[in-house]
Amino acid sequence: MSTSSFPGGTSLSHLDIYADAAPDGVCGGSPHMHLVSTEAYVVVEGRGALQTIDREGFHETELEPGSVVWFTPGTIHRAVNRGGLKVIVLMSNAGLPEAGDAVMTFPADILGDPDAYAAAASLGEADGREERVSRRRDLAVAGFEALRDAVTAGDRGPLEDFHAAAGALVVGSAGAWGRLVRERPLAQAEQSLALAEAIARGDVAHLRDARVHQAPAQAADRRYGMCGRIRAYDVTDLEESPR
């Protein structure tokens, strides 16, 4: 890995949280969980909340401009939009969520059937995609509500069942995840360690290779993500900034 890699082997995107309401009247995205990756929000505009379910139960964190919040693997999260909420998302292990490290909180009967899960998660062709986004979100909210109500009542059984079902759902694809971690965040950490050790030896040769890099300009189109309309920055093949 070269020194041009984006810091930490992370991914970077701009996210406009969905503004339409789910059946419970709450505006926002599809609740889901990452099994390996940590995610961070930096709020740049608007207001809202992050609703989470973890070992401590259900919690709601208020979000406003300047808020910074991050959540570790296993945290079920739902982004709530209470007015123009826009965030910058930093995700560890760039490429891993796209490789399957994200499971939505669909009801148990869907989670237990890989074909049913794939059908419910798919957005299909461009025509009618917005309607399918809402339908997918509503399914995930239904499962989220059941998990929230259970943990609030002191019953962790459904949450443990969800963890097990999520793991079973991705076990077939997880074998390739280690390669992504080794090639990106681990390789970058090892390179930083090597540079630190070089400096300790009095070797500063790598400083001659210093460069500024800039991500390519982003297209105006935003794809449909789990939490909102997302514009991902391409930081995997960085260009040098013009001098």
Side-chain angles (χ1 to χ4, degrees):
M1 175 174 287
S2 71
T3 53
S4 66
S5 299
F6 195 71
T10 59
S11 64
L12 177 69
S13 57
H14 187 280
L15 181 64
D16 294 357
I17 306 300
Y18 292 128
D20 62 316
D24 64 353
V26 176
C27 301
S30 301
H32 62 283
M33 177 187 77
H34 299 287
L35 288 85
V36 174
S37 299
T38 293
E39 184 173 3
Y41 283 0
V42 181
V43 180
V44 295
E45 189 174 329
R47 278 173 167 72
L50 183 73
Q51 294 183 343
T52 56
I53 300 171
D54 58 23
R55 64 190 302 268
E56 302 298 329
F58 173 75
H59 186 68
E60 183 167 293
T61 303
E62 295 296 321
L63 300 177
E64 61 183 16
S67 294
V68 178
V69 59
W70 65 95
F71 31 100
T72 57
T75 304
I76 298 170
H77 52 284
R78 179 189 191 186
V80 174
N81 189 347
R82 293 179 178 151
L85 184 60
K86 299 181 179 182
V87 303
I88 296 296
V89 178
L90 287 168
M91 178 71 70
S92 69
N93 306 313
L96 204 58
E98 295 79 4
D101 178 31
V103 174
M104 284 177 277
T105 55
F106 293 150
D109 59 331
I110 297 176
L111 276 172
D113 182 338
D115 292 334
Y117 182 91
S122 174
L123 297 180
E125 300 297 324
D127 187 37
R129 184 166 293 170
E130 188 169 350
E131 179 182 347
R132 289 189 292 274
V133 167
S134 294
R135 186 166 60 244
R136 179 176 77 173
R137 187 270 316 278
D138 294 349
L139 269 176
V141 167
F144 179 85
E145 289 181 304
L147 292 170
R148 179 200 61 202
D149 292 347
V151 298
T152 299
D155 181 6
R156 289 177 49 87
L159 179 60
E160 300 291 346
D161 291 343
F162 174 76
H163 289 166
L169 193 63
V170 303
V171 68
S173 58
W177 295 358
R179 176 183 58 80
L180 285 171
V181 174
R182 286 190 294 271
E183 290 179 353
R184 294 176 181 179
L186 180 58
Q188 189 169 119
E190 289 176 337
Q191 183 186 50
S192 295
L193 179 60
L195 295 181
E197 291 173 342
I199 291 292
R201 296 192 304 270
D203 179 0
V204 297
H206 66 278
L207 300 180
R208 294 193 297 266
D209 297 325
R211 296 289 186 275
V212 173
H213 296 270
Q214 183 174 0
Q218 297 300 294
D221 293 340
R222 297 169 298 159
R223 65 178 177 84
Y224 290 98
M226 292 184 183
C227 294
R229 298 296 299 273
I230 189 167
R231 184 182 295 118
Y233 292 86
D234 182 3
V235 294
T236 58
D237 187 16
L238 296 175
E239 300 173 354
E240 289 186 13
S241 179
R243 298 294 176 118

